[in-house]
Amino acid sequence: MSTSRLTIGLAFAGLTLLLGACSDGSDGRTAPDTLAQGARAAGIEFGAAIDWDLNEPRQRILAREFTSATVENSLKWQSLAPTPESYDFTRADAAVAIAENNGLRIRGHTLFWSRLNGLPTWLEAELSATADPGRMLEALMQAHAKTVVGRYAGRIAQWDVINEPLALLSGEFEPDNPFFEVLGEAYIDIGLRAAHAADPNAALFLNETSVEFLPAKFEGLIALAERLLERGVPLHGLGLQAHFIFVPPDRDQLEAQLQRASALGLTVELTELDIALPLFANAPDPLAAQAQAYADVVAACLAVPACTGITTWGIDDGRTWLDSFELSAANAPNRPLLFAADGAPKPAYTSVLLALGPAR
Ligand code: G3I
């Protein structure tokens, strides 16, 4: 066994012994046996992104360790509606069933997103063929929300109604966004109001990426939320995706951002957490450094009562979007999650258990 693997092995063994020592309550701290047990004690949800094709080993981890599930792809508009006239809920229903069969809270992701496969393939052609694209798009959005949110009313607790409305690196609106191009900022009002009409009990979120390390973008998100609330739009939460690919989490900055969302009267969740291991390539023990980063994120959430949930964007390192995403694939394997590709818990898993451990 190489020295570095031996070091990691000893470190993990040491953490396990520490965890074992803690778990008997001898030092007053009782570390939970699972993430789910820790999350319940801490009063938050701890979730994972899943989809219709979740295999048996991952379903066992999901059932044992998590309290919440987000449907990663099958509830996106392009996934659901291959044509303007028809919906295919086969995969979405299968993903929702996995979560329901395990008694998990469900986050719906995402009704209106202009990037990657968020948009139906036919939408822009439909809009360019009509004399009144604004009227058509508003009607299509209302029908989409009614169809999808209505189908899962009372079953999906939270919806990422609007995903990534802002430009990648600024607090301005994403310019290459058909919703914004045709309707302006009002598209967000339309989406939220339609989702609320379809399920008045669902918590409705704006979900944004990269605000954790782009202060101007975060300010843009807060200002947008303030305008929506001033207009009386049904907005209940902000989702900070928390993808840490090129910048590690800053615990104090993250806590301050969560407090800002809370000060608006909103719930806030870390909705797509992953922390790429290459961030710590120069650390003496990268896995231990990753573990500390995860503990920092959990501590920031637990410090803010309005932070009601943390969701990791996947279960194990064997299935992560980062290893295929053009900006991070070069670093593959990114190993960003709490479980190794073989399903074994990593040091980050243990550090999250310890961070969740003492009840809030
Ligand atoms: O389902 C089809 C499959 O039938 C087909 O054979 C295959 C061929 O390419 O594509 C499959 O769809 C892919 C889908 O993932 C399911 O695997 C899409 O091409 C691919 O673009 C899609 O990538 C997803 C990406 O969002 C775009 O929707 C990633 O898995 C998903 O992790 C990622 O998640 C996003 C969040 O929704 C929003 N925040 C950022 C995050 C990372 O980009």
Side-chain angles (χ1 to χ4, degrees), residues 49 51-53 71-74 76 78-79 91 109-110 113 115-118 160 163-164 207-209 241 243 245 271-272 274 313 319-322 324-325:
D51 222 313
W52 63 279
D53 54 351
V71 180
E72 188 175 5
N73 288 299
S74 293
K76 292 169 182 172
Q78 186 180 110
S79 304
R91 289 182 171 183
H109 177 83
T110 177
W113 185 31
R115 296 193 180 111
L116 299 174
N117 65 347
D160 290 333
N163 194 51
E164 301 173 19
N207 191 48
E208 192 52 85
T209 189
Q241 292 182 8
H243 289 298
I245 311 171
T271 53
E272 304 183 16
D274 40 29
W313 206 240
R319 177 170 165 163
T320 170
W321 71 286
L322 283 175
S324 59
F325 184 56

Side-chain angles (χ1 to χ4, degrees), residues 201-281:
N201 297 316
L204 306 182
F205 277 64
L206 288 182
N207 191 48
E208 192 52 85
T209 189
S210 309
V211 294
E212 304 83 10
F213 50 86
L214 295 173
K217 185 168 183 177
F218 179 75
E219 293 305 326
L221 179 65
I222 292 293
L224 171 58
E226 286 175 331
R227 294 195 299 274
L228 291 165
L229 293 170
E230 282 161 15
R231 295 200 289 261
V233 177
L235 173 67
H236 309 111
L238 291 183
L240 276 54
Q241 292 182 8
H243 289 298
F244 294 103
I245 311 171
F246 307 112
V247 180
D250 177 317
R251 184 206 181 291
D252 294 340
Q253 178 172 297
L254 184 58
E255 181 181 334
Q257 291 179 328
L258 298 173
Q259 290 287 13
R260 291 281 303 283
S262 173
L264 297 179
L266 295 174
T267 292
V268 58
E269 297 219 356
L270 299 173
T271 53
E272 304 183 16
L273 177 61
D274 40 29
I275 305 178
L277 190 64
L279 276 172
F280 313 104

